[in-house]
Amino acid sequence: MPASPPTAQVLIVGSGPTGLTLACDLARRSIDVRIIDKSPEFPRSSRAKGPNPRSLEVLEDLGVADRVLAAGSAPLPMRKYRDGLPIADTDPFGASRPAPDAPYDRPWLIAQWRLEEILRDRLAEYGVRVELGAEAAGLAQGPDSVTVPLADGRSISARYVVGCDGGHSPVRKLLGVPFEGKTTEEQMMVCGDVEADGLDRGCWHQWFDEDGAVLLCPIPGTRSGWWFQAGPERDRAGAPVPPSLESFRRLFARHTGLPGTHLSRASLLSTYRVNERLADRYRVGRVLLAGDAAHVHSIAGGLGMNTGIQDAYNLGWKLARVVTGQADPVLLDTYEEERLPVASWTLDFASERLRATLEAIRLPGGGLDTAVTPETTGLSRGYHWSSLSPAGSTTRLRAGDRAPDAPCRDAATGAPVRLFEAFAGPHFTLLGFGPGAADALRAAEAAYGDTVRAYGVGTGGPVGLTDEAGHARTAYGIEPGTDTLVLVRPDNHVGLIAPAADSRAVGAYLDRLSGTAFRRL
């Protein structure tokens, strides 16, 4: 196929949460992005339960966290039953509280279709809309672009293509990238959206018996909508019965002791099997993979959609810098370098949490709260091994860590300013702690003002932030009397920690990051 001139800088295949997050991140950086999906219409499935605290931070940076919080609800207490009788109510987040360095202390319950709707609305504010009924049928890479023929005979050409098209990813298959792992056939659920009456919508109902289970979680924003999950019925030969309203009613009646007629209008039915698979690479030339196209794992811990959102957040700023000529394409290799180990860890973690949960539900009172640990917040994942994380640390942070939040005040006006508000947007952020950082802040802003926003935290620098309660110093581990520079990447991870006296450190980092000579930092 002859090369076609690019009709977009970036083409995203797949319009789930991963693809939409990436599209929003690129569009706000003024990147010409197109996003396509083979579906003829937008799905209405509830599927994933919602964003975890780290993904809420990502959504805040994209300007939609308030909408997500308004459309969903806090996680509900889990009501656990045995032999049809309630025996325990558990709230795994009952003791959680927001902290100065972490404003989101729990995940948020929202139907996946509603989250996608919010992200599509945000994307439309940048003039970009999802193109439905557009199925990728091929890939042809040239020296300067990728051409994607569509099933309807059209084609799209772009400088880069990102496959965000799910666990069965046609893009990954077209690349020939292995997706090694396993499918555990005996670990199976039937799922769907149902209408139900007569149940308390203030909790997530979980009936666990020795011969199976039924789970019903109310869908926020609906009057009688519920997300149904259960172990499948088996026929006389032991084969699983396909999901249907009739089967759901029989399962419901068996495990709850209530009439099956409480359920109605079952839709978006599916059968879930535990898959644990990982792509062996995330980039092939000008084509990259993200989300379920790159990794799938057990649903225990609720990290699937969240890992995809965070893939997109890591990739967006790097792809934008390459497309606009601010960085050599080798920068894109750091996407795989940073995110593939996270996915590998997630596969192992979710597998272990599934094992622990299956063990817990054998006993009365055990439930899905077993899968909830501090690691499921997503706040502890960093990139210490990365070539973008050179040596540098404080008593609490290392280069590569997630950059903490903290409440401060604008030194000039006294208005409250959170560090996350300072970070928001496509720029790098340079924090200078201590009076000795003022010169370095001014120098960085003069040399890199189109890339870096500099803030003196208690220094009276180019833009001063008053850390009157000491939360910023505490979160960043800055010892009294210490003058320190912290460079925060556009994805709100720490890129560099250096003494303020090392006036060349920030410039050296940014020059090597942006220059065509960029290699391992």
Side-chain angles (χ1 to χ4, degrees):
M1 178 180 295
S4 303
T7 57
Q9 292 175 311
V10 177
L11 171 66
I12 298 170
V13 182
S15 67
T18 301
L20 289 167
T21 297
L22 180 59
C24 287
D25 199 18
L26 292 171
R28 69 171 176 162
R29 300 172 194 275
S30 300
I31 302 301
D32 178 20
V33 60
R34 292 179 69 177
I35 178 168
I36 64 173
D37 200 288
K38 68 179 182 180
S39 299
E41 58 187 19
F42 296 120
R44 294 284 293 185
S45 174
S46 301
R47 289 186 288 177
K49 294 293 191 302
N52 66 12
R54 179 55 180 160
S55 291
L56 285 169
E57 294 179 355
V58 173
L59 296 170
E60 179 179 340
D61 189 29
L62 296 179
V64 297
D66 287 348
R67 303 181 207 182
V68 171
L69 295 175
S73 73
L76 300 173
M78 300 178 182
R79 179 162 297 166
K80 290 168 280 189
Y81 300 77
R82 201 73 167 192
D83 298 324
L85 299 175
I87 58 172
D89 280 10
T90 303
D91 183 354
F93 306 102
S96 299
R97 297 292 182 273
D101 63 340
Y104 303 106
D105 66 312
R106 62 195 63 204
W108 207 248
L109 187 63
I110 183 172
Q112 183 171 323
W113 66 264
R114 184 68 181 101
L115 175 62
E116 291 174 357
E117 189 174 68
I118 290 169
L119 287 168
R120 286 197 303 269
D121 288 346
R122 181 59 167 162
L123 187 59
E125 293 171 14
Y126 297 107
V128 181
R129 298 185 182 278
V130 176
E131 302 172 43
L132 292 173
E135 181 178 357
L139 286 171
Q141 294 204 51
D144 301 312
S145 65
V146 185
T147 298
V148 178
L150 303 182
D152 62 5
R154 297 177 296 151
S155 66
I156 300 174
S157 184
R159 291 181 60 190
Y160 288 91
V161 172
V162 185
C164 304
D165 47 346
H168 299 289
S169 172
V171 170
R172 186 190 64 244
K173 294 174 182 177
L174 288 166
L175 290 173
V177 172
F179 201 43
E180 300 296 337
K182 64 180 181 179
T183 299
T184 308
E185 292 290 344
E186 63 270 19
Q187 293 177 346
M188 182 187 303
M189 288 193 308
V190 288
C191 313
D193 286 355
V194 301
E195 298 289 323
D197 296 316
L199 294 175
D200 179 0
R201 291 183 63 84
C203 58
W204 183 359
H205 301 270
Q206 302 174 9
W207 290 269
F208 292 107
D209 296 315
E210 292 184 4
D211 63 342
V214 165
L215 296 84
L216 276 167
C217 182
I219 302 171
T222 65
R223 184 188 62 80
S224 57
W226 296 76
W227 177 236
F228 180 99
Q229 297 167 282
E233 282 190 303
R234 301 279 176 173
D235 62 20
R236 291 181 179 180
V241 174
S244 66
L245 174 59
E246 292 73 22
S247 177
F248 284 4
R249 282 175 165 172
R250 289 191 295 267
L251 287 165
F252 180 80
R254 179 194 309 166
H255 293 288
T256 70
L258 300 172
T261 52
H262 276 26
L263 302 187
S264 60
R265 297 186 60 187
S267 61
L268 299 163
L269 307 179
S270 63
T271 299
Y272 168 82
R273 293 172 175 84
V274 174
N275 279 289
E276 297 172 330
R277 299 183 182 276
L278 181 64
D280 75 347
R281 58 192 184 277
Y282 282 14
R283 180 189 178 200
V284 179
R286 291 179 172 273
V287 184
L288 302 104
L289 301 172
D292 286 355
H295 46 76
V296 293
H297 49 80
S298 159
I299 60 174
L303 294 175
M305 179 188 73
N306 288 290
T307 304
I309 287 173
Q310 291 155 38
D311 284 347
Y313 197 47
N314 181 285
L315 178 59
W317 71 274
K318 298 172 181 178
L319 193 52
R321 290 182 70 82
V322 170
V323 164
T324 56
Q326 295 176 289
D328 187 273
V330 74
L331 177 62
L332 296 177
D333 290 338
T334 69
Y335 165 62
E336 176 183 307
E337 178 190 4
E338 293 183 340
R339 293 303 298 173
L340 193 150
V342 171
S344 180
W345 173 89
T346 302
L347 262 68
D348 291 341
F349 175 81
S351 177
E352 191 280 328
R353 285 295 88 199
L354 177 62
R355 180 205 58 76
T357 301
L358 292 174
E359 183 76 19
I361 63 176
R362 293 176 184 173
L363 300 174
L368 301 189
D369 51 302
T370 304
V372 178
T373 75
E375 287 80 9
T376 58
T377 66
L379 300 178
S380 60
R381 301 272 66 78
Y383 309 125
H384 303 141
W385 59 86
S386 171
S387 58
L388 300 184
S389 304
S393 64
T394 68
T395 59
R396 292 195 61 176
L397 286 182
R398 296 165 58 189
D401 280 339
R402 161 193 167 272
D405 195 11
C408 299
R409 290 190 179 276
D410 186 297
T413 67
V417 179
R418 292 168 51 218
L419 288 185
F420 277 4
E421 293 174 317
F423 299 162
H427 55 272
F428 286 81
T429 306
L430 181 62
L431 302 178
F433 293 89
D439 289 345
L441 293 171
R442 281 190 285 268
E445 190 163 77
Y448 303 98
D450 57 340
T451 300
V452 176
R453 291 184 185 175
Y455 295 87
V457 184
T459 69
V463 177
L465 297 176
T466 302
D467 184 24
E468 59 187 23
H471 290 305
R473 280 186 168 274
T474 298
Y476 283 77
I478 308 298
E479 294 291 323
T482 302
D483 298 332
T484 304
L485 299 172
V486 179
L487 183 66
V488 179
R489 302 175 357 176
D491 60 354
N492 295 3
H493 279 264
V494 175
L496 176 75
I497 299 172
D502 187 359
S503 59
R504 300 178 60 184
V506 174
Y509 183 96
L510 292 170
D511 286 346
R512 297 182 70 183
L513 183 69
S514 301
T516 56
F518 170 79
R519 289 296 182 265
R520 294 187 67 84
L521 291 174

